Amino acid sequence: MAARSIASLTVSFGLVSIPVKLYSATESSHSISFNLLHKGCGSRLKQQYICAREEIPVARNDIVKGYEFAKDQYVMFTPEELKALEEAGTHSADITEFVPISSIDPVYFDKAYFLAPDKGGAKPYALFAKALRESKRCAVGTWASHGKQHIVMIRPVDDGLVMQQLLYANEVRSIGDLDIPKTEVRDAELKLAQQLIDQQASSRFDPGAYKDEVSERVEAAIQRKVEGEQITVAEEPGGGAQIIDLMEALRATLEKKG
């Protein structure tokens, strides 16, 4: 089935504009979701909002959003007020700088989109992709969508481009906030660890080599239940003996892999 574009936009930097089509790079439809049912009769449950003070159900048209600025104290906003605060959607990703791809930590990566050239954009698209690829840089800029402004990076991949939404600095925690003790590593331990890494090293990452075994088990269990089969839960196997000594653990792992 051919991919379907979800939007059209323009990648702009300086006086250059490249018309592109936007495609979702990830697929969320494979996730398995369950409905909440009444255990007694199996009917779907209906969600209600209950007023904590009056203990009565509240209709949807009587619900407004509020921000808690102090304990149990709120300022309320109407839908019109919130709409006025939203960022107006744009049809342009405005590039502000070009940086080395390696300088952006993947911890900042959020949602990804594929970009394909739109009508009249094939030549500048190909030129832009090749220039980024050979310079080992990516483009960084902003894009507004669904009332929010996003930082985006555009990077080359295979023969095309990916636009990756990035998290803002205040959305990413610092590992410096963790209490990681300074620990001495002995040369012999380091050598064994490096040997283990070399044994299991691959030239490139192949995502197809990994399967979502949990989803496969859930899907199989659902099918068995649909067919009327009774499912029994197997006991978990007991854990093996724990190797405390780090050197022995590394050696044992190397021997097992060997």
Side-chain angles (χ1 to χ4, degrees):
M1 183 178 178
R4 181 175 295 179
S5 170
I6 60 174
S8 294
L9 66 147
T10 302
V11 176
S12 303
F13 57 100
L15 299 177
V16 179
S17 295
I18 306 173
V20 296
K21 290 182 177 180
L22 199 67
Y23 298 83
S24 291
T26 56
E27 182 64 66
S28 59
S29 62
H30 293 301
S31 59
I32 300 171
S33 59
F34 291 88
N35 294 308
L36 297 177
L37 308 177
H38 184 195
K39 184 178 180 180
C41 67
S43 299
R44 287 275 300 267
L45 298 180
K46 183 172 66 175
Q47 188 181 54
Q48 281 188 320
Y49 289 96
I50 306 297
C51 175
R53 179 183 296 176
E54 300 178 16
E55 297 184 349
I56 58 173
V58 179
R60 185 174 295 273
N61 57 0
D62 287 329
I63 297 175
V64 295
K65 292 185 177 181
Y67 179 82
E68 187 176 23
F69 64 93
K71 180 64 175 175
D72 295 329
Q73 296 186 59
Y74 302 87
V75 287
M76 291 191 294
F77 286 84
T78 66
E80 293 75 20
E81 289 173 326
L82 291 174
K83 188 70 177 176
L85 294 172
E86 291 181 353
E87 183 75 12
T90 63
H91 297 286
S92 176
D94 298 317
I95 305 306
T96 55
E97 61 180 337
F98 296 90
V99 302
I101 295 176
S102 58
S103 69
I104 300 182
D105 192 319
V107 73
Y108 285 90
F109 287 5
D110 200 3
K111 193 170 184 180
Y113 299 92
F114 289 135
L115 299 181
D118 206 345
K119 186 176 181 180
K123 183 64 181 289
Y125 178 96
L127 177 61
F128 187 48
K130 187 172 183 179
L132 288 176
R133 189 175 296 109
E134 294 192 356
S135 67
K136 294 182 172 56
R137 289 185 172 90
C138 62
V140 178
T142 58
W143 174 53
S145 173
H146 298 98
K148 297 181 180 179
Q149 188 178 58
H150 305 281
I151 313 172
V152 293
M153 68 174 284
I154 298 176
R155 57 187 174 89
V157 55
D158 297 330
D159 294 326
L161 295 169
V162 168
M163 185 172 78
Q164 190 103 35
Q165 284 181 196
L166 301 178
L167 299 171
Y168 285 93
N170 61 358
E171 295 177 302
V172 177
R173 295 175 178 172
S174 170
I175 197 169
D177 296 337
L178 308 183
D179 184 18
I180 302 177
K182 300 288 185 182
T183 307
E184 183 181 357
V185 176
R186 293 182 293 174
D187 290 341
E189 295 169 341
L190 181 59
K191 184 178 180 180
L192 283 176
Q194 289 173 335
Q195 288 177 358
L196 178 59
I197 291 171
D198 289 340
Q199 269 194 359
Q200 296 181 252
S202 301
S203 59
R204 62 188 297 274
F205 168 60
D206 177 15
Y210 296 84
K211 303 295 182 185
D212 187 348
E213 297 178 356
V214 173
S215 290
E216 290 178 355
R217 287 201 301 270
V218 173
E219 288 174 355
I222 290 171
Q223 186 59 37
R224 292 201 301 273
K225 277 186 171 286
V226 169
E227 295 171 356
E229 183 179 337
Q230 185 67 32
I231 296 178
T232 57
V233 181
E235 293 185 7
E236 293 186 4
Q242 185 179 8
I243 302 175
I244 303 300
D245 184 82
L246 179 58
M247 291 290 285
E248 288 302 317
L250 289 168
R251 288 195 186 97
T253 306
L254 281 169
E255 291 171 3
K256 184 178 179 181
K257 296 294 180 184

